[in-house]
Amino acid sequence: MKTDSKRKMILGVQVVGCFFAICIIYGGFIAVKRLMKEDLVSTQSVRETEVAAVVQIEPTPVEVPIVEESFETPIRNIVYDNMTIEELAAKLDRSLNSTLTGKGYLFASKSLEYGVDPYLALAIVLEETGCKWNCSNLVKQCNNVGGQKGGTVKCNGGAYRYYATLDEGIVGFIDNLSRNYYAIGLTTPEQMNSKYAASSAWSTKVNQYIEKIKSN
């Protein structure tokens, strides 16, 4: 009987021991699971914080230079009759043909340089040489654009002056008007008539050419 009681007591102690062991193991499992859950939540919170920080970073604004548009009207350098030198040259060119085609700029620039009315200078050339349509042989052969006489070199041995080039002839003609007419107060066709031409109708014809040049 005593032996059976001991066995039952030992068995009871073993059962109780197993129970406590199971409780301890289960409690440990629960504790570990809770720690893992807390660690997962903590890790997720850190990630969410990092993402929020990235989202909250604002890009640095780029300064775009401001280009101011100018609507100012370009300044026109007026040289004569409310025209620029280019506009004046183009106007004179519209009255020049034959050998003198394209010489408007030279007439314009040199007339203004020598203080001569460019309309008047060109009108005399048209009257003297016929270059409104077809230039005379005086222009074609001797580069004399204004019917100038004198000079050391004569055109074909006659009374009219010879120039080596057409440009020299144009400049020489305008220089002649400046020194021998404008310089002594002869600045209109009427004032020049008796000195420049024998015909009294010369000034009338020159004035007619001036009006044609202006209207072009």
Side-chain angles (χ1 to χ4, degrees):
M1 293 294 291
K2 292 181 179 179
T3 303
D4 292 336
S5 299
K6 287 181 179 180
R7 288 179 179 175
K8 291 180 179 180
M9 184 180 299
I10 292 170
L11 181 61
V13 172
Q14 289 177 343
V15 171
V16 172
C18 289
F19 175 77
F20 279 109
I22 292 172
C23 289
I24 291 171
I25 293 172
Y26 180 76
F29 174 76
I30 295 299
V32 170
K33 187 175 181 181
R34 182 177 298 171
L35 289 174
M36 290 178 64
K37 184 176 181 180
E38 290 178 353
D39 183 63
L40 179 61
V41 172
S42 177
T43 302
Q44 186 175 359
S45 299
V46 170
R47 290 179 179 175
E48 290 177 353
T49 303
E50 292 176 350
V51 172
V54 172
V55 173
Q56 290 176 359
I57 295 176
E58 296 182 358
T60 303
V62 178
E63 293 185 3
V64 179
I66 299 175
V67 179
E68 295 183 0
E69 296 185 9
S70 177
F71 297 95
E72 295 181 1
T73 303
I75 298 175
R76 297 173 65 244
N77 186 19
I78 302 301
V79 296
Y80 180 83
D81 199 18
N82 199 34
M83 291 181 288
T84 65
I85 185 67
E86 292 78 13
E87 292 168 342
L88 174 59
K91 190 175 187 66
L92 299 185
D93 271 329
R94 288 193 285 272
S95 293
L96 290 171
N97 294 294
S98 186
T99 309
L100 293 183
T101 298
K103 292 298 182 180
Y105 190 89
L106 185 59
F107 272 101
S109 60
K110 289 302 177 180
S111 293
L112 296 176
E113 179 182 340
Y114 285 90
V116 175
D117 184 338
Y119 291 160
L120 174 58
L122 189 58
I124 293 174
V125 169
L126 297 180
E127 168 60 22
E128 292 293 325
T129 61
C131 290
K132 176 69 176 176
W133 298 276
N134 187 31
C135 291
S136 66
N137 288 334
L138 187 61
V139 177
K140 294 178 179 179
Q141 297 175 11
C142 300
N143 299 310
N144 187 326
V145 301
Q148 299 174 77
K149 295 181 179 181
T152 55
V153 182
K154 306 296 185 179
C155 178
N156 297 326
Y160 292 95
R161 186 170 182 171
Y162 171 86
Y163 287 96
T165 67
L166 185 58
D167 285 5
E168 287 181 12
I170 293 172
V171 174
F173 161 69
I174 296 172
D175 177 61
N176 176 57
L177 290 181
S178 176
R179 290 185 296 103
N180 297 318
Y181 292 86
Y182 271 73
I184 59 176
L186 305 179
T187 60
T188 67
E190 291 77 14
Q191 293 168 339
M192 294 177 176
N193 198 145
S194 60
K195 185 177 181 179
Y196 207 107
S199 172
S200 59
W202 182 85
S203 59
T204 300
K205 295 178 180 179
V206 171
N207 278 322
Q208 289 173 347
Y209 274 118
I210 290 175
E211 294 305 313
K212 290 178 181 178
I213 294 169
K214 288 181 177 181
S215 63
N216 278 346

Coordinates of all heavy atoms in Angstrom, one line a residue, residues 128-166:
E128 N 21.6 116.2 -118.6 CA 22.9 116.3 -119.4 C 23.2 115.0 -120.1 O 23.8 115.1 -121.2 CB 24.0 116.7 -118.5 CG 24.0 118.1 -117.9 CD 24.1 119.1 -119.0 OE1 24.9 118.9 -119.9 OE2 23.5 120.2 -118.8
T129 N 22.9 113.8 -119.6 CA 23.4 112.6 -120.1 C 22.3 111.6 -120.6 O 22.6 110.6 -121.2 CB 24.2 111.8 -119.1 OG1 23.4 111.5 -118.0 CG2 25.4 112.7 -118.7
G130 N 21.0 111.9 -120.3 CA 19.9 111.0 -120.8 C 19.9 109.7 -120.0 O 19.2 108.7 -120.5
C131 N 20.5 109.6 -118.9 CA 20.5 108.3 -118.2 C 19.2 107.9 -117.5 O 19.1 106.8 -116.8 CB 21.6 108.3 -117.1 SG 23.3 108.3 -117.8
K132 N 18.1 108.7 -117.7 CA 16.8 108.2 -117.3 C 16.4 107.0 -118.1 O 15.7 106.1 -117.7 CB 15.8 109.4 -117.5 CG 14.4 109.0 -117.2 CD 14.2 108.7 -115.7 CE 12.7 108.5 -115.5 NZ 12.4 108.2 -114.0
W133 N 17.0 106.9 -119.4 CA 16.7 105.8 -120.3 C 18.0 105.1 -120.7 O 18.3 104.0 -120.3 CB 15.9 106.3 -121.5 CG 14.6 106.8 -121.1 CD1 13.4 106.1 -120.8 CD2 14.3 108.2 -120.8 NE1 12.4 107.0 -120.5 CE2 12.9 108.3 -120.5 CE3 15.0 109.4 -120.9 CZ2 12.2 109.5 -120.2 CZ3 14.4 110.6 -120.7 CH2 13.0 110.6 -120.3
N134 N 18.7 105.8 -121.5 CA 20.0 105.2 -122.1 C 21.1 106.3 -122.0 O 20.9 107.4 -122.6 CB 19.8 104.7 -123.5 CG 21.0 104.0 -124.0 OD1 21.8 103.4 -123.2 ND2 21.3 104.1 -125.3
C135 N 22.1 106.0 -121.3 CA 23.2 107.1 -121.1 C 23.9 107.4 -122.4 O 24.0 106.5 -123.3 CB 24.2 106.6 -120.1 SG 23.6 106.5 -118.4
S136 N 24.4 108.6 -122.5 CA 25.1 109.1 -123.7 C 26.5 108.5 -123.8 O 27.0 107.9 -122.8 CB 25.1 110.6 -123.7 OG 26.0 111.0 -122.6
N137 N 27.1 108.6 -124.9 CA 28.5 108.1 -125.1 C 29.4 108.9 -124.2 O 30.5 108.3 -123.9 CB 28.9 108.3 -126.6 CG 28.2 107.3 -127.5 OD1 27.8 106.3 -127.1 ND2 28.0 107.7 -128.8
L138 N 29.1 110.1 -123.8 CA 30.0 110.8 -122.8 C 30.1 110.0 -121.5 O 31.2 110.0 -120.9 CB 29.4 112.2 -122.6 CG 30.3 113.2 -121.8 CD1 31.6 113.5 -122.5 CD2 29.5 114.5 -121.6
V139 N 29.1 109.4 -121.1 CA 29.1 108.6 -119.9 C 29.8 107.3 -120.2 O 30.6 106.8 -119.4 CB 27.7 108.4 -119.3 CG1 27.7 107.5 -118.1 CG2 27.0 109.7 -119.0
K140 N 29.3 106.6 -121.2 CA 29.8 105.3 -121.5 C 31.3 105.2 -121.9 O 32.0 104.3 -121.5 CB 29.0 104.7 -122.7 CG 27.5 104.4 -122.3 CD 26.8 103.9 -123.5 CE 25.3 103.6 -123.1 NZ 24.5 103.1 -124.3
Q141 N 31.8 106.2 -122.6 CA 33.2 106.2 -123.0 C 34.1 107.0 -122.1 O 35.3 106.6 -122.0 CB 33.3 106.8 -124.5 CG 32.5 106.0 -125.5 CD 32.5 106.6 -126.9 OE1 33.2 107.6 -127.1 NE2 31.7 106.1 -127.8
C142 N 33.6 108.0 -121.5 CA 34.5 108.9 -120.7 C 34.1 109.0 -119.2 O 34.8 109.8 -118.5 CB 34.6 110.2 -121.4 SG 35.2 110.2 -123.1
N143 N 33.1 108.3 -118.8 CA 32.7 108.4 -117.4 C 32.3 109.8 -116.9 O 32.4 110.1 -115.7 CB 33.7 107.8 -116.5 CG 34.0 106.3 -116.8 OD1 33.1 105.5 -116.9 ND2 35.3 106.0 -117.0
N144 N 31.9 110.6 -117.8 CA 31.6 112.0 -117.5 C 30.0 112.1 -117.4 O 29.3 112.0 -118.4 CB 32.1 113.0 -118.6 CG 31.9 114.4 -118.3 OD1 30.9 114.8 -117.6 ND2 32.8 115.3 -118.8
V145 N 29.5 112.2 -116.1 CA 28.1 112.1 -115.9 C 27.4 113.4 -115.9 O 26.1 113.4 -115.9 CB 27.8 111.4 -114.6 CG1 28.4 110.0 -114.5 CG2 28.3 112.2 -113.4
G146 N 28.1 114.5 -115.9 CA 27.4 115.8 -115.8 C 27.7 116.8 -116.9 O 27.3 118.0 -116.8
G147 N 28.3 116.3 -118.0 CA 28.6 117.2 -119.1 C 29.7 118.2 -118.7 O 29.6 119.4 -119.2
Q148 N 30.6 117.8 -117.9 CA 31.7 118.7 -117.4 C 32.7 118.9 -118.5 O 33.2 118.0 -119.1 CB 32.4 118.1 -116.2 CG 31.4 117.9 -115.0 CD 32.2 117.2 -113.8 OE1 33.0 117.9 -113.1 NE2 31.9 115.9 -113.7
K149 N 33.1 120.2 -118.6 CA 34.2 120.5 -119.5 C 35.5 120.8 -118.8 O 35.5 120.9 -117.5 CB 33.8 121.7 -120.4 CG 32.6 121.5 -121.3 CD 32.3 122.7 -122.1 CE 31.1 122.5 -123.1 NZ 30.8 123.7 -123.9
G150 N 36.6 120.9 -119.5 CA 37.9 121.2 -118.8 C 38.6 120.0 -118.4 O 38.3 118.8 -118.8
G151 N 39.5 120.1 -117.4 CA 40.3 119.0 -117.0 C 41.5 118.8 -117.8 O 41.6 119.2 -119.0
T152 N 42.5 118.1 -117.2 CA 43.7 117.9 -118.0 C 43.6 116.8 -119.0 O 44.4 116.8 -120.0 CB 44.8 117.5 -117.0 OG1 44.4 116.3 -116.2 CG2 45.1 118.6 -116.0
V153 N 42.7 115.8 -118.8 CA 42.5 114.7 -119.7 C 41.1 114.9 -120.4 O 40.1 115.0 -119.7 CB 42.6 113.4 -119.0 CG1 42.4 112.2 -120.1 CG2 43.9 113.2 -118.3
K154 N 41.1 115.0 -121.7 CA 39.9 115.3 -122.5 C 39.3 114.0 -123.0 O 39.9 113.0 -123.2 CB 40.2 116.2 -123.6 CG 40.9 117.5 -123.3 CD 40.1 118.3 -122.4 CE 40.8 119.7 -122.1 NZ 40.0 120.6 -121.3
C155 N 38.0 114.0 -123.1 CA 37.2 112.9 -123.7 C 37.3 112.9 -125.2 O 36.8 113.8 -125.8 CB 35.7 113.0 -123.2 SG 34.7 111.7 -123.9
N156 N 38.0 111.9 -125.7 CA 38.2 111.8 -127.2 C 38.8 113.0 -127.8 O 38.5 113.4 -128.9 CB 36.9 111.4 -127.8 CG 36.3 110.1 -127.4 OD1 37.0 109.2 -127.1 ND2 35.0 110.1 -127.3
G157 N 39.6 113.7 -127.0 CA 40.3 114.9 -127.5 C 39.5 116.1 -127.6 O 39.9 117.2 -128.2
G158 N 38.2 116.1 -127.1 CA 37.3 117.2 -127.3 C 37.4 118.1 -126.1 O 38.4 118.2 -125.3
A159 N 36.3 118.9 -125.8 CA 36.3 119.9 -124.8 C 35.8 119.2 -123.4 O 36.0 119.9 -122.4 CB 35.3 121.0 -125.2
Y160 N 35.2 118.1 -123.4 CA 34.7 117.5 -122.2 C 35.7 116.7 -121.5 O 36.7 116.1 -122.1 CB 33.5 116.6 -122.5 CG 32.3 117.4 -123.0 CD1 32.1 117.6 -124.4 CD2 31.4 118.0 -122.1 CE1 31.0 118.4 -124.8 CE2 30.3 118.8 -122.5 CZ 30.1 119.0 -123.9 OH 29.0 119.7 -124.3
R161 N 35.6 116.6 -120.2 CA 36.5 116.0 -119.3 C 36.4 114.5 -119.3 O 35.3 113.9 -119.4 CB 36.3 116.5 -117.9 CG 37.4 116.1 -116.9 CD 37.3 116.8 -115.6 NE 38.3 116.4 -114.6 CZ 38.5 117.0 -113.4 NH1 37.8 118.1 -113.1 NH2 39.5 116.6 -112.7
Y162 N 37.5 113.8 -119.1 CA 37.6 112.4 -119.1 C 37.9 111.9 -117.6 O 38.8 112.5 -117.0 CB 38.7 111.8 -120.0 CG 38.9 110.3 -119.9 CD1 38.2 109.4 -120.5 CD2 40.0 109.9 -119.0 CE1 38.4 108.0 -120.4 CE2 40.2 108.5 -118.9 CZ 39.4 107.6 -119.5 OH 39.6 106.3 -119.4
Y163 N 37.2 110.8 -117.2 CA 37.5 110.2 -115.9 C 37.8 108.7 -116.1 O 37.2 108.1 -117.0 CB 36.2 110.3 -115.0 CG 36.0 111.7 -114.4 CD1 35.1 112.6 -115.1 CD2 36.7 112.2 -113.3 CE1 34.8 113.8 -114.6 CE2 36.4 113.5 -112.8 CZ 35.5 114.3 -113.4 OH 35.3 115.5 -112.9
A164 N 38.7 108.3 -115.3 CA 39.2 106.9 -115.4 C 38.1 105.9 -115.1 O 38.1 104.8 -115.7 CB 40.4 106.7 -114.6
T165 N 37.3 106.2 -114.1 CA 36.2 105.2 -113.7 C 34.9 106.0 -113.6 O 34.9 107.2 -113.4 CB 36.5 104.5 -112.4 OG1 36.5 105.5 -111.3 CG2 37.9 103.9 -112.4
L166 N 33.8 105.3 -113.6 CA 32.5 105.9 -113.4 C 32.3 106.5 -112.0 O 31.8 107.6 -111.9 CB 31.4 104.8 -113.6 CG 30.0 105.3 -113.6 CD1 29.7 106.4 -114.7 CD2 29.0 104.1 -113.9

